[in-house]
Amino acid sequence: MKRFTTTLVSGVLALSAGMASAQEKVMIGEPSWPGAKIMANLIGQVIEGRLGGEVGYAPGANAVIFEAMDGGRGDIDVHPDVWLPNQSSFTDKFVDGAGTVALSEGSYEGRAGFCVPNYMVENHNISSVFDLATPEAQALFDTDGNGMGEIWVGASGWASTNIHRVKARDYGIETFLEPTTEDEAVFYARLKDAFAAEEGVVFYCYKPHYVHALYPVTILEEPEYDAAAYTIKTPDEDANWYENSSIMTGDQVKSVHVAHSKSLEERNSAAASFLAAIDMSSDELSKLTYEVVVQGNAIEDVVSGWIADNGDTVDGWLGLN
C-alpha cells in the first residue's frame, strides 16, 4: 500500500510538472507599428482566453526580438509581424540557418504602391501608374492651380518615400505631377478634404493600413515585380542614390508571418501549435488598425471584439475545426 501511495503521488507530481511546463508563460515581442501591436495583443488574448496560458509583452526592435527568440530562454518568444522579404536577413540567419526560430504556415499579404479614390477610377479611368503620366492627369490632379498635378510619395525620412520618388521619375509621372513629401498628418487632412469634394488625389499607400477601411481606394496597377528592373540605393550607401537608382516595376508583394522561438515547442507546445497555424487576413487587419488608429478605441477592446465575432477562424488556428 505504501509503495502504491508513493507511486501515485509521484505520478501526480509528474503530471502537474508536465502541465506547468505546457503552460509556461509566453513573452510576446511588440514592435512599434500599429499592425504589429494589434497582432501581438491578438496572440496574447488567444493564449490567455482560449488556451488558459499566461503572457507578457516586450517592446523591441526586430533585431532584439529575433536575438531573444534565438536564445530560447523565454525572454521573448514571439515576433507577431514578420515582413518578408524586408526582414529576410533575420529569417535567413535564425530560421533557415540556426533553425532556432519557426515561421507560421499562414500569412497575410502586404502590398505597397500608389492609391487613388475609387471615383478617379470610375469617372476618369485612372487604373494604372502610367495613366498618371499624361496631360489629362496633370489637370485632374492639379489641386493648387499652378499648372502641375501633385502626387504624395510619403513623408520625409521614410525609406519608402525614396523608392516612390524614383518610381515617379522612372514611370514618367513627375513630368506631369510634382512629388510632395509633406508630413503624413498634414497629407491625411488634405486627403479628407479631397474625398469630400471628390477632387483628384494620388498618394503612396500600403496594405494593411487603415486608409483601406477609411475610404474606398484602389491601388494602381504596376508592372509585375522584376528584380532586374528594381534597383534602389540608400543615402547612407551612396551620396548619389537618386541618380543611381532605377525602378520600372512594382514592389515585391510581401508575405507577413508570425515567428516563434522553436524552444516554445517544448516549453509550451499548445501555444507553439497555435502560433504555427495562425493565418490573419490583410483586410481584417486594415479594419482593426482603422478602429484603433482612426477611431481611437483601445487595442484590447478592438481585439476582444474581433475574437468574439470570429470564433470559427480562431477555432481553426487552434485545430478545433
Side-chain angles (χ1 to χ4, degrees):
M1 183 67 181
K2 182 178 180 180
R3 178 181 298 175
F4 173 77
T5 303
T6 302
T7 302
L8 179 61
V9 171
S10 298
V12 170
L13 290 174
L15 178 61
S16 299
M19 291 176 66
S21 175
Q23 291 296 318
E24 185 171 326
K25 183 176 182 178
V26 179
M27 290 299 298
I28 303 168
E30 194 177 49
S32 61
W33 58 95
K37 289 179 177 290
I38 290 168
M39 286 299 297
N41 195 270
L42 174 60
I43 290 166
Q45 288 201 35
V46 171
I47 291 175
E48 289 184 329
R50 298 295 300 275
L51 296 178
E54 181 184 2
V55 303
Y57 299 94
N62 292 324
V64 172
I65 296 173
F66 270 96
E67 289 284 354
M69 290 192 295
D70 173 61
R73 296 178 298 274
D75 302 324
I76 302 179
D77 298 304
V78 182
H79 190 309
D81 214 43
V82 179
W83 284 64
L84 297 175
N86 304 47
Q87 298 174 35
S88 59
S89 62
F90 299 114
T91 58
D92 288 347
K93 181 177 180 180
F94 299 115
V95 177
D96 301 327
T100 53
V101 176
L103 294 177
S104 60
E105 296 176 9
S107 64
Y108 67 83
E109 183 178 277
R111 296 185 60 197
F114 292 115
C115 278
V116 296
N118 285 358
Y119 56 77
M120 296 303 296
V121 180
E122 296 159 0
N123 299 337
H124 302 285
N125 296 316
I126 304 292
S127 60
S128 161
V129 290
F130 298 111
D131 293 330
L132 303 175
T134 66
E136 291 77 16
Q138 184 173 6
L140 284 171
F141 294 102
D142 180 10
T143 58
D144 58 11
N146 70 348
M148 281 286 289
E150 296 86 43
I151 179 169
W152 186 65
V153 293
S156 179
W158 294 357
S160 58
T161 300
N162 291 344
I163 291 170
H164 287 77
R165 278 187 61 194
V166 173
K167 282 187 180 185
R169 179 195 67 195
D170 292 353
Y171 285 149
I173 295 170
E174 73 172 12
T175 302
F176 304 93
L177 310 181
E178 179 184 1
T180 67
T181 56
E182 60 204 304
D183 181 77
E184 183 178 29
V186 174
F187 172 75
Y188 269 82
R190 186 160 64 84
L191 184 64
K192 180 180 180 181
D193 294 339
F195 267 90
E198 290 203 358
E199 293 177 342
V201 61
V202 55
F203 56 98
Y204 162 71
C205 62
Y206 62 92
K207 194 174 186 180
H209 187 276
Y210 63 82
V211 73
H212 301 279
L214 184 60
Y215 301 117
V217 299
T218 296
I219 299 179
L220 295 178
E221 297 171 3
E222 293 183 64
E224 187 174 350
Y225 174 75
D226 178 1
Y230 195 106
T231 300
I232 184 69
K233 304 292 185 181
T234 66
D236 291 339
E237 66 182 348
D238 188 345
N240 297 316
W241 69 271
Y242 184 64
E243 294 78 7
N244 294 330
S245 295
S246 175
I247 302 176
M248 279 296 294
T249 176
D251 279 19
Q252 187 172 4
V253 175
K254 312 299 190 292
S255 175
V256 190
H257 298 257
V258 171
H260 69 271
S261 173
K262 290 279 284 184
S263 69
L264 203 59
E265 295 171 5
E266 295 183 359
R267 296 187 291 109
N268 192 325
S269 59
S273 296
F274 153 59
L275 293 166
I278 190 169
D279 186 9
M280 193 52 172
S281 156
S282 177
D283 288 336
E284 290 297 301
L285 191 53
S286 290
K287 293 175 185 176
L288 294 179
T289 59
Y290 168 76
E291 292 182 42
V292 171
V293 177
V294 178
Q295 295 186 324
N297 297 315
I299 288 180
E300 295 81 2
D301 296 337
V302 170
V303 168
S304 64
W306 186 90
I307 290 173
D309 293 339
N310 292 272
D312 287 345
T313 297
V314 177
D315 283 348
W317 296 343
L318 298 172
L320 299 177
N321 57 19

